């Protein structure tokens, strides 16, 4: 099999990966530099066959010289169109021309919360007036049935083993596959997708099952998180898997003086919370329609990273998602006295079926500073996201006919902000504040407002090497379970993360 010669854009991409990861993974730099050297040798050989290839190699050398500093914003060079039959190593790379790059991540912890191990589930069930469609009712989406990131009980837990495969398939496509196996042995396909390599004008298409590029943390796997568990807004507005679905993504990297990425996605719409549909029995009982044909979920996002000087990097993002079909059931009770002198009351439960659409807005900010110390010493990372969910619903069925056809708008928002500081080589300390329900209300016909849930978390992480990590985390939780009912508790984690095999650098 003939080896593919690297293009100048792909060599520049590898250089950018080296620059961005110096502050976090010193050992990975050696591997990336080795791959870069091989790519440059391949480019030099290709130059002898084509004057245009030689010109591209010269331009890549100038770009590489200009970027030999610890940290910069991501490169803005769009993917180049290779000559027929030629391509490069690309962002994924492969072990060799025959085998994919394979890695395994092991993620386990010890957990204690002082309330009999219920805390890990409670943080994902914070009260919001739009009740989740899978709470107490059968759910049409079986895709996310058994595997939930972060769910723990008091004592020892094995969260998951994640197996990742990635490779350059041919001159036209890269491909990746991520499989998760939880502590009970349940196997789940987390991602399986292809990406194009050679579209013109900075365009790229991704297809398959994947984590959406909505926001910032949504596309990250648990082993990439800076804290053991996911933040409150993502857990409660999107579910433990975030926006993860099957469909197509189109991105555009325009030629601008600073990094700008624009993208849209068309996804099937099978979601746990955002755009959920009820199961067959509930739909029949509540006279709700069957799920519409996909795609039902559409997203759009923009990410901008202006140059702010040596050792600094900044990325700003704006995202929007719309799921055209959302169903849920709202229950309420009525008490009846059978006898005025009898203390026993008959409780009657009434259910209202609601249908409509769901919208989600997101704003994100990430700032990184390379302190220049060994193994991340004195480096800083700050990130924050704001999410706002709006569900516009119509009551389609009810035991009270007079309210059928009435509209309800459910609005819930959330915010998290976290900072990580390298206080010593290979050691970091992190502080996170997350809140759900700064706005937590129903409007249009039945106006009501509810309180918020929030949490403070502190962690210390020891990065023993590129392949192993230990973390201790403490969190104080104040979770709204129901109107006027709160659960306040402390939670403690000890986590281990171990990786095996070669794996590519993580995105910015």
């Amino acid at each position: 099999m003939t080896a593919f010669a690297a293009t100048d854009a792909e060599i520049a991409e590898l250089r950018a990966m080296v620059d961005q990861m110096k502050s976090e993974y010193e050992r990975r730099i050696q591997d990336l530099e080795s791959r870069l050297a091989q790519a440059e040798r391949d480019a030099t050989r290709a130059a002898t066959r084509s004057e245009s290839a030689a010109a591209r190699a010269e331009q890549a050398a100038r770009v590489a010289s200009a970027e030999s500093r610890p940290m910069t914003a991501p490169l803005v060079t769009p993917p180049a169109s290779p000559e027929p039959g030629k391509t490069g190593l690309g962002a994924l790379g492969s072990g060799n021309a025959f085998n994919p790059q394979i890695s395994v991540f092991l993620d386990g912890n010890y957990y204690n919360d002082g309330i009999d191990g219920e805390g890990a589930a409670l943080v994902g069930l914070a009260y919001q007036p739009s009740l989740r469609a899978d709470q107490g009712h059968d759910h049409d989406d079986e895709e996310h049935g058994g595997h939930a990131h972060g769910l723990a009980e008091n004592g020892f837990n094995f969260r998951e083993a994640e197996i990742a495969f990635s490779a350059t398939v041919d001159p036209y496509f890269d491909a990746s596959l991520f499989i998760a196996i939880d502590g009970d042995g349940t196997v789940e396909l987390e991602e399986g997708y292809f990406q194009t390599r050679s579209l013109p004008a900075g365009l790229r298409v991704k297809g398959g099952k994947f984590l959406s590029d909505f926001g910032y943390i949504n596309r990250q796997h648990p082993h990439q998180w800076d804290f053991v568990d996911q933040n409150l807004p993502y857990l409660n507005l999107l579910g433990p898997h975030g926006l993860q679905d099957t469909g197509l993504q189109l991105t555009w990297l325009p030629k601008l003086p600073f990094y700008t990425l624009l993208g849209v996605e068309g996804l099937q719409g099978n979601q746990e919370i955002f755009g959920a549909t009820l199961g067959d029995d509930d739909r029949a009982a509540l006279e709700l329609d069957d799920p519409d044909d996909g795609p039902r979920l559409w997203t759009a996002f923009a990410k901008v990273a202006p140059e702010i000087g040596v050792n600094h990097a900044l990325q700003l993002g704006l995202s929007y998602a719309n799921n055209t079909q959302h169903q849920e059931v709202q229950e309420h009770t009525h008490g009846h006295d059978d006898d005025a002198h009898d203390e026993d009351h008959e409780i009657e439960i009434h259910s209202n079926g609601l249908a409509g659409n769901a919208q989600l807005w997101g704003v994100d900010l990430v700032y990184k500073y390379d302190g220049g110390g060994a193994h991340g010493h004195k480096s800083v990372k700050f990130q924050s996201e704001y999410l706002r969910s709006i569900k516009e619903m119509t009551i389609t069925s009810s035991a009270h006919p007079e309210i059928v056809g009435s509209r309800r708008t459910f609005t819930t928002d959330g915010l998290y902000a976290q900072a990580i500081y390298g206080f010593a080589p290979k050691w970091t300390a992190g502080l996170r504040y997350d809140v759900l329900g700064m706005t937590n209300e129903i409007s249009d016909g039945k106006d009501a407002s509810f309180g918020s849930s929030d949490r403070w978390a502190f962690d210390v992480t020891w990065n023993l090497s590129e392949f192993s990590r230990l973390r201790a985390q403490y969190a104080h939780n104040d979770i709204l379970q129901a109107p006027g009912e709160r659960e306040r508790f402390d939670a403690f984690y000890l986590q281990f993360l171990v990786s095996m095999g070669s794996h590519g650098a993580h995105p910015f």
Side-chain angles (χ1 to χ4, degrees):
M1 182 177 291
T2 303
F4 300 123
T7 65
D8 59 329
E10 291 165 328
I11 294 173
E13 184 176 4
L14 287 172
R15 288 189 180 278
M17 291 162 57
V18 171
D19 289 338
Q20 292 175 3
M21 301 305 297
K22 277 184 178 179
S23 64
E24 301 177 19
Y25 299 105
E26 288 291 311
R27 291 185 59 182
R28 182 176 298 163
I29 292 174
Q30 296 177 0
D31 176 58
L32 290 173
E33 288 177 336
S34 176
R35 290 166 56 193
L36 178 60
Q38 180 62 47
E40 290 175 327
R41 287 194 293 270
D42 292 343
T44 301
R45 286 194 295 269
T48 62
R49 305 187 206 113
S50 169
E51 289 186 4
S52 61
R56 290 196 302 272
E58 182 179 353
Q59 176 64 22
R62 289 196 296 270
V63 171
S65 175
E67 296 203 348
S68 58
R69 52 183 183 267
M71 179 177 290
T72 65
L75 283 175
V76 302
T77 307
S81 301
E83 298 176 31
K86 297 182 181 180
T87 187
L89 298 177
L92 290 176
S94 57
N96 54 50
F98 302 97
N99 299 318
Q101 182 174 279
I102 302 175
S103 57
V104 178
F105 302 90
L106 305 180
D107 183 351
N109 61 69
Y110 171 83
Y111 174 79
N112 189 279
D113 59 22
I115 55 171
D116 298 325
E118 297 179 359
L122 284 179
V123 295
L125 298 173
Y127 181 80
Q128 50 183 312
S130 172
L131 298 179
R132 302 195 320 178
D134 59 348
Q135 243 179 290
H137 293 267
D138 63 309
H139 194 254
D140 189 66
D141 177 22
E142 299 179 356
E143 189 173 348
H144 303 296
H147 175 65
H149 296 311
L151 197 60
E153 60 184 17
N154 277 354
F156 294 102
N157 302 274
F158 185 81
R159 177 155 63 181
E160 68 174 13
E162 182 180 279
I163 306 172
F165 303 84
S166 60
T168 295
V169 177
D170 55 25
Y172 312 104
F173 296 103
D174 292 326
S176 293
L177 179 70
F178 296 85
I179 298 172
I181 307 172
D182 68 14
D184 296 325
T186 303
V187 180
E188 180 185 8
L189 173 63
E190 291 207 323
E191 294 191 272
Y193 60 84
F194 69 86
Q195 287 189 115
T196 59
R197 297 176 52 80
S198 55
L199 294 183
L203 296 173
R204 174 172 285 179
V205 173
K206 177 193 286 189
K209 181 180 180 180
F210 53 88
L211 293 165
S212 168
D213 273 79
F214 181 100
Y216 178 73
I217 205 172
N218 187 78
R219 66 179 296 184
Q220 295 182 357
H221 292 256
H223 68 269
Q224 299 173 258
W225 297 345
D226 292 316
F227 289 81
V228 179
D229 50 1
Q230 185 62 286
N231 61 76
L232 290 177
Y234 270 85
L235 272 178
N236 290 277
L237 298 180
L238 296 176
H241 294 83
L243 282 185
Q244 177 197 54
D245 213 333
T246 303
L248 288 174
Q249 177 193 87
L250 174 66
T251 58
W252 178 41
L253 190 69
K255 291 183 177 180
L256 294 174
F258 51 87
Y259 175 88
T260 301
L261 182 69
L262 306 176
V264 294
E265 296 168 335
L267 305 171
Q268 191 67 10
N270 297 328
Q271 292 297 302
E272 300 165 284
I273 298 177
F274 178 73
T277 54
L278 298 177
D280 293 339
D281 293 341
D282 278 336
R283 288 201 307 269
L286 298 170
E287 302 177 6
L288 293 170
D289 294 335
D290 292 337
D292 297 336
D293 294 338
R296 301 189 299 271
L297 174 58
W298 301 90
T299 76
F301 54 88
K303 305 178 189 297
V304 177
E307 284 282 357
I308 58 174
V310 178
N311 300 337
H312 301 269
L314 175 68
Q315 180 174 287
L316 305 172
L318 177 65
S319 304
Y320 172 75
N322 179 61
N323 202 321
T324 60
Q325 186 175 31
H326 177 78
Q327 298 174 343
E328 61 183 67
V329 54
Q330 299 267 324
E331 293 182 342
H332 60 278
T333 60
H334 294 275
H336 302 281
D337 289 339
D338 292 333
D339 183 11
H341 303 287
D342 191 348
E343 294 182 358
D344 294 331
H345 300 279
E346 180 182 351
I347 302 299
E348 185 177 358
I349 300 176
H350 288 172
S351 298
N352 297 336
L354 295 92
N357 65 79
Q359 301 177 63
L360 186 70
W361 290 90
V363 180
D364 59 271
L365 178 151
V366 183
Y367 167 78
K368 295 182 181 182
Y369 168 72
D370 186 348
H375 304 285
H377 186 208
K378 299 181 181 179
S379 293
V380 175
K381 178 183 178 183
F382 174 83
Q383 71 183 66
S384 180
E385 294 189 64
Y386 172 79
L387 302 182
R388 187 176 184 88
S389 170
I390 304 170
K391 297 175 181 176
E392 298 178 339
M393 313 287 289
T394 300
I395 299 177
T396 60
S397 64
S398 175
H400 306 279
E402 67 275 9
I403 67 172
V404 173
S406 300
R407 295 183 61 81
R408 299 285 187 270
T409 299
F410 302 91
T411 304
T412 302
D413 64 357
L415 168 76
Y416 79 89
Q418 64 187 52
I420 308 295
Y421 175 66
F423 64 89
K426 298 187 177 182
W427 287 85
T428 64
L431 181 66
R432 178 182 69 188
Y433 175 72
D434 45 344
V435 57
L436 177 80
M438 296 176 292
T439 301
N440 205 19
E441 64 184 21
I442 307 174
S443 58
D444 291 340
K446 182 183 178 181
D447 295 343
S449 183
F450 308 90
S452 62
S453 301
D454 66 356
R455 173 175 61 176
W456 285 94
F458 173 77
D459 74 357
V460 175
T461 303
W462 182 17
N463 299 290
L464 290 85
S465 70
E466 177 189 350
F467 302 99
S468 61
R469 177 179 301 164
L470 299 176
R471 174 177 290 141
Q473 177 177 309
Y474 163 79
H476 177 71
N477 302 266
D478 184 357
I479 305 300
L480 181 68
Q481 292 185 277
E485 182 181 343
R486 291 186 172 276
E487 184 72 57
R488 295 180 176 91
F489 61 95
D490 298 326
F492 179 73
Y493 279 101
L494 282 175
Q495 181 191 33
F496 74 84
L497 285 166
V498 175
S499 66
M500 298 174 284
S502 175
H503 54 277
H506 296 147
F508 177 83

